[in-house]
Amino acid sequence: MTREEDIKKAVEVMRKGGVILYPTDTVWGIGCDATNAEAVAKVYAIKKRDDSKALICLVDSDVRLQRYIRNAPEVAWQVMELATKPTTVIFDNAVNLASNLVAEDGSIAMRITQEPFSKELCYRFQKPIVSTSANISGQPAAENYRDIDEELLNAVDYVCYSRRQEKQPHTPSSIIRIREDGQVEIIRK
């Protein structure tokens, strides 16, 4: 299967409200349409995770990110531009996303991916994609396809073929909270 066919199939599944497993700019992720509350609920159920714990979303560009954040402070753009590794930013004032994805305080964790597969997937999908680590809550994140638990492989609607052969270390993103007033807090280095 070509990368293009793989992306096309993943997009098709997400447009129908399905859940996918896919390689990201960090670890393998469980993904779905971040604007579809039913799909987001499926991700929480698959991960066996309390839905009060927010999930990360991926987008392909700052232009797309701006459609889902109201009043992002200038410092957020500077942090993302200067980051030397994948960096997730928690923004205040999320808009146009599934209500069960947004934290109780109205915040959302988003990352602009630069990795070719996930960037193209986000671009083709034209909306944010949930990107939570491919593991049952409390277990180690799947750095590579071979690390994904069989239970997860059977629980999703589609497993991407791209990058399945990789056997190299991957780590989760840094997480930084940037408040609307520009206040910065490092959550995970």
Side-chain angles (χ1 to χ4, degrees):
M1 174 175 283
T2 67
R3 187 172 94 170
E4 191 168 309
E5 291 168 333
D6 200 13
I7 288 171
K8 186 177 180 183
K9 179 66 176 167
V11 165
E12 184 181 299
V13 167
M14 288 189 292
R15 284 199 176 128
K16 292 178 180 172
V19 176
I20 65 168
L21 277 171
Y22 68 110
T24 75
D25 53 342
T26 59
V27 296
W28 270 70
I30 301 172
C32 70
D33 178 349
T35 67
N36 181 328
E38 287 180 29
V40 171
K42 289 181 199 173
V43 171
Y44 281 116
I46 289 167
K47 278 190 71 84
K48 300 179 183 175
R49 185 172 179 170
D50 183 348
D51 68 8
S52 67
K53 292 188 175 186
L55 303 172
I56 292 170
C57 295
L58 286 187
V59 291
D60 63 315
S61 67
D62 56 349
V63 172
R64 185 140 2 257
L65 183 131
Q66 290 178 60
R67 296 178 190 166
Y68 301 94
I69 306 298
R70 185 178 295 124
N71 304 324
E74 184 59 37
V75 69
W77 306 112
Q78 294 166 356
V79 165
M80 290 185 293
E81 189 176 312
L82 297 172
T84 56
K85 69 177 263 190
T87 301
T88 300
V89 176
I90 300 172
F91 292 93
D92 291 334
N93 302 314
V95 293
N96 305 320
L97 293 165
S99 59
N100 55 343
L101 185 60
V102 177
E104 288 180 14
D105 65 1
S107 66
I108 189 68
M110 297 194 84
R111 183 169 74 248
I112 300 171
T113 180
Q114 299 303 327
E115 183 273 327
F117 182 85
S118 55
K119 187 173 185 80
E120 180 77 8
L121 181 64
C122 290
Y123 174 76
R124 296 279 175 211
F125 191 58
Q126 297 285 296
K127 292 191 239 177
I129 298 173
V130 166
S131 182
T132 183
S133 56
N135 62 315
I136 303 296
S137 195
Q139 294 181 358
E143 292 183 38
N144 295 287
Y145 172 77
R146 65 189 171 122
D147 303 323
I148 300 171
D149 188 287
E150 190 75 28
E151 183 179 346
L152 287 181
L153 293 170
N154 294 324
V156 300
D157 301 297
Y158 182 70
V159 181
C160 291
Y161 287 87
S162 298
R163 293 181 47 206
R164 282 192 186 186
Q165 303 308 314
E166 274 186 8
K167 294 177 182 157
Q168 57 189 11
H170 294 280
T171 56
S173 68
S174 296
I175 300 178
I176 297 174
R177 177 158 199 153
I178 302 179
R179 301 254 180 212
E180 191 174 12
D181 64 6
Q183 182 182 353
V184 177
E185 177 187 0
I186 297 171
I187 307 291
R188 180 173 70 201
K189 284 189 172 187

